[in-house]
Amino acid sequence: MSGQTGERVIFAILGVPMLICMLIFSWILSLLLTGIGSVRWELLTVSALQGGMFEMIVGTIYLLLGATAIAGPVGILAAIYLVEYAPSRGLTRIIDQAINNLAGVPSIVIGLFGYTFFCRHLRLGVSLTAGWLTLALMMLPIVIRGSEEALRMVPASFKEAALALGATRWKAISSTTLPAAAPGVVTSVILGIARVAGETAAILFTSCVLITRGLPRSPLEPVMALSYNLFVKIVALGTPAQKVFGVALVLFMIVTSLSLSAILLRIHYRKGQPWLMIR
Amino acid sequence: MSRLIDAGLEQLSRLIFKMGDLAEKTVLLSLDCYMKGVDVHEKVRVLSETLVSLSEEAEDKAVELIARYQPVASDLRTIKSYMKIAYDFSRYGRYAWDITHIHKRLDIKLDECRFPWMPLEEISGKVLRMVHTSIEAIKKHDVALAKTLNAMEREVDEIYYRCLDKLVEQPPPLTGCVVSTLLFIRHLERIADHAAYIGESVIYIVTGERVSLR
Amino acid sequence: MVNDKIDIRNLNVWFRDNHVLKDVSFKIRENAVTAIMGPSGCGKTTLIRAINRMNDLIYGCRTSGDVYIDGHNIYDGNINVYELRRKVGMVFQKPNPFPKSIYENVAFGPRIHKVASGRELDEIVERSLREAALWDEVKDRLHDNAFNLSGGQQQRLCIARALAVKPEIILMDEPCSALDPAATAKIEALIRRLSKKYTVIVVTHNLQQAARISDFTAFLYMGKLIEYGDTKSVFENPHSELTEKYITGKFG
């Protein structure tokens, strides 16, 4: 009988934290939903100069697009190199460590680096470009890690079969491993975007201002962003919470939908990866 | 390291050796019968039939081993040869029976039939020795021993043809004796042949070569 | 007129410090099935991978000695390794079709070698699938995913895939070890048929299979070639004591 009680105790111990998480999540959600009052659909398309969120939303989107355009290809290619081409074990381990370290750097530190290097040293000033580069730095480890894992999950037997048919190394990888890893790679990119979508510290002094006149006309101009806006309104301007929750809700929904689409994509593509199922 | 096939091989070997001993005994008895006039006709008949059924048993066992264990190399040669040797032993028995049968059937008085020039003891002694040697060779898988059968077989052949020549010259009234003697040495010569076959099988088992000892 | 397709001379292969193949030399007959047998780890797979230079892809692998195919040394500096691998096809132990359609699997080789396209490609795919005795079973579902096939069918698909680039030599690394007896029987019959047109080399640790399907048998032990001859002689009366012990199961 003690076996069964033991099992129940374990179940309870493991279940409690889960319950707590769900409670916290629901509380956050309810908090955000209080902001639903201050959000009307029109606000999403109305300029900030008239009390809307248009430039902020577009600014966030601009930042994300640019960062992805940089971190995506660079990260994927780096992952391919690390998995398929990197020769000696020692060097790969060092690179791996470096990527891990980059992932662990606090975002404020990255923001500071970004400001010093991109804004000052490269003379980009507070601009979209500097924001792109800094956010890309944050996205990179996630994209590389995720793509690496996706590539490693593809059975080496596909590549071997292609090589045995007379394919060159690159042809074998590009025609077998890459297509098979594509779903995983795409998922990791989306997760990278989700990570940086809500970033504040990195864009704090590298690319954002509180308000701009219209959308930026060139990448060298600063931009408005949802997370930055949130930060400034609460800390600097002391705006009452209810008003700000609207912005928070929009940001939250963007990030959540990104994460959700990553999960759904993963589930959908699982069906096309029959080697993952145990025969 | 014992293999699955070893138990079956062991069984087959024991069967063959048993047949060998029985066959030797049968030949001995039949020679006694012919040379000394002892009436062992019935005994020899039974022994011969036993040898036949034992050879069938050996064949069945050999085929079973082949079907079940897919033997190769020395195992395969051994099994194949044992099948042949089982037949050779059953032939010993059969010729032995034939010898006792001549005697009974032709109802010849042996004392009237001795040709003074006929080396009956010599030839039957040699054949007995060949039978014994062949059985020893198979029991020990002894190639050297098997090779001695070559010389012995030639000697037996020589005596046989000599006797044939002499028999052709014999005058008519002794026809019964001629027939009896002729058949007797003929059966002995065949037994010698089979002993040589057995020797050849032993050499094949051990070395894989096919040689002729005749 | 009998001809030797492959001439292996003093082949040595090292994986870092491990001397895997030790001075192996023998000739492989054209249009015949040659079986390579031996206990696990004796170097059989390394030996066949030396024939299509797949060992080159393994980090830390060193090869010395020569392998002549049709008189040309494939370890020469100016050999096109990709063309070599087209000429020398390989089928692996565990069936490894691409996660693509059946058609795309077979068309893969011709595509990368830019051999054909369109109509011609269709014909090549059909010819290869027929040669691999798979056409009748898949002709109505060429665009189905290859993973929906059974193990035996997948292996025949891999054979068709190798045949599609018109090889001259086919290397098979224990092609039936992951299959059930019925599928194995089909592949063994296929191997016999293929040997009329191609030079087939089969690595196997199944002695009875080696005895059944091959014309010539090589016995490898701890990286050394112990015996090589026509199958009947090797299995009826082997020259080497070691071979005798191995094939009668006195060690293994």
PDB file of all heavy atoms in Angstrom, chain C residues 164-182:
ATOM      1  N   ALA C 164      19.847   3.384 -60.480  1.00  0.00           N
ATOM      2  CA  ALA C 164      19.407   4.458 -61.373  1.00  0.00           C
ATOM      3  C   ALA C 164      20.562   5.205 -62.028  1.00  0.00           C
ATOM      4  O   ALA C 164      20.403   5.770 -63.097  1.00  0.00           O
ATOM      5  CB  ALA C 164      18.522   5.436 -60.610  1.00  0.00           C
ATOM      6  N   VAL C 165      21.724   5.206 -61.398  1.00  0.00           N
ATOM      7  CA  VAL C 165      22.844   5.943 -61.994  1.00  0.00           C
ATOM      8  C   VAL C 165      23.734   5.038 -62.833  1.00  0.00           C
ATOM      9  O   VAL C 165      24.850   5.396 -63.163  1.00  0.00           O
ATOM     10  CB  VAL C 165      23.691   6.649 -60.911  1.00  0.00           C
ATOM     11  CG1 VAL C 165      22.918   7.790 -60.305  1.00  0.00           C
ATOM     12  CG2 VAL C 165      24.126   5.679 -59.847  1.00  0.00           C
ATOM     13  N   LYS C 166      23.231   3.856 -63.173  1.00  0.00           N
ATOM     14  CA  LYS C 166      23.937   2.893 -64.020  1.00  0.00           C
ATOM     15  C   LYS C 166      25.344   2.594 -63.487  1.00  0.00           C
ATOM     16  O   LYS C 166      26.336   2.906 -64.129  1.00  0.00           O
ATOM     17  CB  LYS C 166      24.045   3.419 -65.459  1.00  0.00           C
ATOM     18  CG  LYS C 166      22.728   3.466 -66.204  1.00  0.00           C
ATOM     19  CD  LYS C 166      22.936   3.094 -67.668  1.00  0.00           C
ATOM     20  CE  LYS C 166      21.652   3.068 -68.466  1.00  0.00           C
ATOM     21  NZ  LYS C 166      21.182   4.386 -68.902  1.00  0.00           N
ATOM     22  N   PRO C 167      25.420   1.973 -62.309  1.00  0.00           N
ATOM     23  CA  PRO C 167      26.735   1.637 -61.777  1.00  0.00           C
ATOM     24  C   PRO C 167      27.292   0.399 -62.486  1.00  0.00           C
ATOM     25  O   PRO C 167      26.597  -0.218 -63.284  1.00  0.00           O
ATOM     26  CB  PRO C 167      26.429   1.302 -60.320  1.00  0.00           C
ATOM     27  CG  PRO C 167      25.054   0.729 -60.373  1.00  0.00           C
ATOM     28  CD  PRO C 167      24.333   1.454 -61.455  1.00  0.00           C
ATOM     29  N   GLU C 168      28.537   0.068 -62.216  1.00  0.00           N
ATOM     30  CA  GLU C 168      29.080  -1.181 -62.721  1.00  0.00           C
ATOM     31  C   GLU C 168      29.291  -2.173 -61.596  1.00  0.00           C
ATOM     32  O   GLU C 168      29.299  -3.368 -61.799  1.00  0.00           O
ATOM     33  CB  GLU C 168      30.404  -0.900 -63.448  1.00  0.00           C
ATOM     34  CG  GLU C 168      30.183  -0.124 -64.723  1.00  0.00           C
ATOM     35  CD  GLU C 168      31.464   0.465 -65.280  1.00  0.00           C
ATOM     36  OE1 GLU C 168      32.548  -0.074 -64.990  1.00  0.00           O
ATOM     37  OE2 GLU C 168      31.366   1.463 -66.006  1.00  0.00           O
ATOM     38  N   ILE C 169      29.507  -1.591 -60.409  1.00  0.00           N
ATOM     39  CA  ILE C 169      29.754  -2.417 -59.233  1.00  0.00           C
ATOM     40  C   ILE C 169      28.729  -2.036 -58.170  1.00  0.00           C
ATOM     41  O   ILE C 169      28.408  -0.866 -58.019  1.00  0.00           O
ATOM     42  CB  ILE C 169      31.174  -2.147 -58.695  1.00  0.00           C
ATOM     43  CG1 ILE C 169      32.201  -2.486 -59.764  1.00  0.00           C
ATOM     44  CG2 ILE C 169      31.443  -2.930 -57.424  1.00  0.00           C
ATOM     45  CD1 ILE C 169      33.586  -1.968 -59.424  1.00  0.00           C
ATOM     46  N   ILE C 170      28.213  -3.032 -57.458  1.00  0.00           N
ATOM     47  CA  ILE C 170      27.278  -2.730 -56.370  1.00  0.00           C
ATOM     48  C   ILE C 170      27.827  -3.318 -55.079  1.00  0.00           C
ATOM     49  O   ILE C 170      28.087  -4.520 -54.985  1.00  0.00           O
ATOM     50  CB  ILE C 170      25.886  -3.330 -56.641  1.00  0.00           C
ATOM     51  CG1 ILE C 170      25.351  -2.815 -57.965  1.00  0.00           C
ATOM     52  CG2 ILE C 170      24.919  -2.949 -55.519  1.00  0.00           C
ATOM     53  CD1 ILE C 170      24.044  -3.433 -58.363  1.00  0.00           C
ATOM     54  N   LEU C 171      28.007  -2.459 -54.081  1.00  0.00           N
ATOM     55  CA  LEU C 171      28.496  -2.909 -52.775  1.00  0.00           C
ATOM     56  C   LEU C 171      27.305  -3.014 -51.839  1.00  0.00           C
ATOM     57  O   LEU C 171      26.492  -2.114 -51.780  1.00  0.00           O
ATOM     58  CB  LEU C 171      29.486  -1.888 -52.207  1.00  0.00           C
ATOM     59  CG  LEU C 171      30.664  -1.528 -53.104  1.00  0.00           C
ATOM     60  CD1 LEU C 171      31.407  -0.338 -52.517  1.00  0.00           C
ATOM     61  CD2 LEU C 171      31.596  -2.701 -53.236  1.00  0.00           C
ATOM     62  N   MET C 172      27.209  -4.129 -51.116  1.00  0.00           N
ATOM     63  CA  MET C 172      26.088  -4.273 -50.187  1.00  0.00           C
ATOM     64  C   MET C 172      26.610  -4.641 -48.811  1.00  0.00           C
ATOM     65  O   MET C 172      27.303  -5.639 -48.663  1.00  0.00           O
ATOM     66  CB  MET C 172      25.147  -5.369 -50.679  1.00  0.00           C
ATOM     67  CG  MET C 172      24.535  -5.037 -52.022  1.00  0.00           C
ATOM     68  SD  MET C 172      23.223  -6.213 -52.366  1.00  0.00           S
ATOM     69  CE  MET C 172      22.469  -5.471 -53.776  1.00  0.00           C
ATOM     70  N   ASP C 173      26.273  -3.825 -47.836  1.00  0.00           N
ATOM     71  CA  ASP C 173      26.741  -4.062 -46.481  1.00  0.00           C
ATOM     72  C   ASP C 173      25.639  -4.717 -45.673  1.00  0.00           C
ATOM     73  O   ASP C 173      24.742  -4.051 -45.189  1.00  0.00           O
ATOM     74  CB  ASP C 173      27.148  -2.733 -45.842  1.00  0.00           C
ATOM     75  CG  ASP C 173      27.927  -2.941 -44.567  1.00  0.00           C
ATOM     76  OD1 ASP C 173      27.995  -4.091 -44.087  1.00  0.00           O
ATOM     77  OD2 ASP C 173      28.465  -1.955 -44.045  1.00  0.00           O
ATOM     78  N   GLU C 174      25.706  -6.048 -45.531  1.00  0.00           N
ATOM     79  CA  GLU C 174      24.688  -6.808 -44.794  1.00  0.00           C
ATOM     80  C   GLU C 174      23.276  -6.356 -45.165  1.00  0.00           C
ATOM     81  O   GLU C 174      22.508  -5.945 -44.309  1.00  0.00           O
ATOM     82  CB  GLU C 174      24.908  -6.668 -43.285  1.00  0.00           C
ATOM     83  CG  GLU C 174      26.305  -7.090 -42.870  1.00  0.00           C
ATOM     84  CD  GLU C 174      26.432  -7.364 -41.389  1.00  0.00           C
ATOM     85  OE1 GLU C 174      25.454  -7.797 -40.783  1.00  0.00           O
ATOM     86  OE2 GLU C 174      27.532  -7.138 -40.861  1.00  0.00           O
ATOM     87  N   PRO C 175      22.923  -6.460 -46.436  1.00  0.00           N
ATOM     88  CA  PRO C 175      21.676  -5.853 -46.899  1.00  0.00           C
ATOM     89  C   PRO C 175      20.423  -6.476 -46.310  1.00  0.00           C
ATOM     90  O   PRO C 175      19.369  -5.856 -46.324  1.00  0.00           O
ATOM     91  CB  PRO C 175      21.725  -6.072 -48.413  1.00  0.00           C
ATOM     92  CG  PRO C 175      22.600  -7.252 -48.598  1.00  0.00           C
ATOM     93  CD  PRO C 175      23.617  -7.190 -47.504  1.00  0.00           C
ATOM     94  N   CYS C 176      20.516  -7.708 -45.798  1.00  0.00           N
ATOM     95  CA  CYS C 176      19.306  -8.367 -45.321  1.00  0.00           C
ATOM     96  C   CYS C 176      19.227  -8.461 -43.810  1.00  0.00           C
ATOM     97  O   CYS C 176      18.278  -9.021 -43.284  1.00  0.00           O
ATOM     98  CB  CYS C 176      19.223  -9.775 -45.895  1.00  0.00           C
ATOM     99  SG  CYS C 176      19.267  -9.799 -47.681  1.00  0.00           S
ATOM    100  N   SER C 177      20.215  -7.932 -43.112  1.00  0.00           N
ATOM    101  CA  SER C 177      20.240  -8.208 -41.674  1.00  0.00           C
ATOM    102  C   SER C 177      19.092  -7.557 -40.919  1.00  0.00           C
ATOM    103  O   SER C 177      18.750  -7.975 -39.832  1.00  0.00           O
ATOM    104  CB  SER C 177      21.577  -7.794 -41.067  1.00  0.00           C
ATOM    105  OG  SER C 177      21.727  -6.403 -41.166  1.00  0.00           O
ATOM    106  N   ALA C 178      18.471  -6.522 -41.507  1.00  0.00           N
ATOM    107  CA  ALA C 178      17.344  -5.898 -40.812  1.00  0.00           C
ATOM    108  C   ALA C 178      16.002  -6.396 -41.340  1.00  0.00           C
ATOM    109  O   ALA C 178      14.964  -5.829 -41.023  1.00  0.00           O
ATOM    110  CB  ALA C 178      17.429  -4.371 -40.965  1.00  0.00           C
ATOM    111  N   LEU C 179      16.007  -7.460 -42.155  1.00  0.00           N
ATOM    112  CA  LEU C 179      14.766  -7.894 -42.804  1.00  0.00           C
ATOM    113  C   LEU C 179      14.303  -9.268 -42.354  1.00  0.00           C
ATOM    114  O   LEU C 179      15.102 -10.085 -41.905  1.00  0.00           O
ATOM    115  CB  LEU C 179      14.982  -7.931 -44.323  1.00  0.00           C
ATOM    116  CG  LEU C 179      15.515  -6.640 -44.957  1.00  0.00           C
ATOM    117  CD1 LEU C 179      15.774  -6.869 -46.433  1.00  0.00           C
ATOM    118  CD2 LEU C 179      14.524  -5.513 -44.765  1.00  0.00           C
ATOM    119  N   ASP C 180      13.014  -9.532 -42.547  1.00  0.00           N
ATOM    120  CA  ASP C 180      12.478 -10.844 -42.177  1.00  0.00           C
ATOM    121  C   ASP C 180      12.818 -11.871 -43.267  1.00  0.00           C
ATOM    122  O   ASP C 180      13.227 -11.491 -44.360  1.00  0.00           O
ATOM    123  CB  ASP C 180      10.959 -10.751 -41.967  1.00  0.00           C
ATOM    124  CG  ASP C 180      10.220 -10.458 -43.252  1.00  0.00           C
ATOM    125  OD1 ASP C 180      10.261 -11.277 -44.195  1.00  0.00           O
ATOM    126  OD2 ASP C 180       9.578  -9.402 -43.327  1.00  0.00           O
ATOM    127  N   PRO C 181      12.659 -13.184 -42.993  1.00  0.00           N
ATOM    128  CA  PRO C 181      13.092 -14.214 -43.952  1.00  0.00           C
ATOM    129  C   PRO C 181      12.477 -14.085 -45.339  1.00  0.00           C
ATOM    130  O   PRO C 181      13.164 -14.323 -46.339  1.00  0.00           O
ATOM    131  CB  PRO C 181      12.634 -15.525 -43.286  1.00  0.00           C
ATOM    132  CG  PRO C 181      12.612 -15.213 -41.846  1.00  0.00           C
ATOM    133  CD  PRO C 181      12.202 -13.787 -41.721  1.00  0.00           C
ATOM    134  N   ALA C 182      11.209 -13.710 -45.417  1.00  0.00           N
ATOM    135  CA  ALA C 182      10.585 -13.604 -46.743  1.00  0.00           C
ATOM    136  C   ALA C 182      11.237 -12.485 -47.551  1.00  0.00           C
ATOM    137  O   ALA C 182      11.574 -12.665 -48.718  1.00  0.00           O
ATOM    138  CB  ALA C 182       9.088 -13.340 -46.584  1.00  0.00           C
TER     139      ALA C 182
END
